[in-house]
Amino acid sequence: KNPQIFVSGNDIYFAVELDLGDIQDVIIYHSSNGGTSWETLDPTGTYLYPPGEFIQTNPNVYANGVNVYCTHIEDNNIYSFQPF
């Protein structure tokens, strides 16, 4: 749900809101080779290490060539991460 895409050179960042029943979270898929292969990034730390206390929604992603930034809504607050 609510996909957001950001492209910087060969880097593609695809942020999505996952709903897997007992896991609801924000995940970023990243490709550094134009989409040939992908890795999963967990900006909130609750997808790879569930469960989270609150549900993360409405992801947004931005990269400046050096850092990746992700914002999302959690418990009616805006959170910003520079996890990568």
Side-chain angles (χ1 to χ4, degrees):
K1 292 170 30 177
N2 298 315
Q4 297 289 315
I5 298 173
F6 187 84
V7 178
S8 176
N10 282 333
D11 288 300
I12 303 169
Y13 300 91
F14 184 61
V16 295
E17 181 182 322
L18 291 181
D19 184 354
L20 302 175
D22 59 338
I23 298 174
Q24 293 178 304
D25 201 356
V26 168
I27 291 295
I28 300 172
Y29 297 103
H30 169 246
S31 174
S32 60
N33 54 18
T36 301
S37 61
W38 295 87
E39 68 177 320
T40 301
L41 307 175
D42 184 9
T44 64
T46 56
Y47 176 67
L48 300 177
Y49 306 100
E53 184 175 345
F54 300 107
I55 297 171
Q56 296 89 22
T57 62
N58 301 93
N60 199 358
V61 65
Y62 170 77
N64 65 6
V66 176
N67 297 306
V68 179
Y69 304 90
C70 179
T71 60
H72 71 276
I73 305 293
E74 180 177 334
D75 192 33
N76 294 320
N77 294 302
I78 296 175
Y79 288 85
S80 177
F81 291 92
Q82 181 188 344
F84 319 105

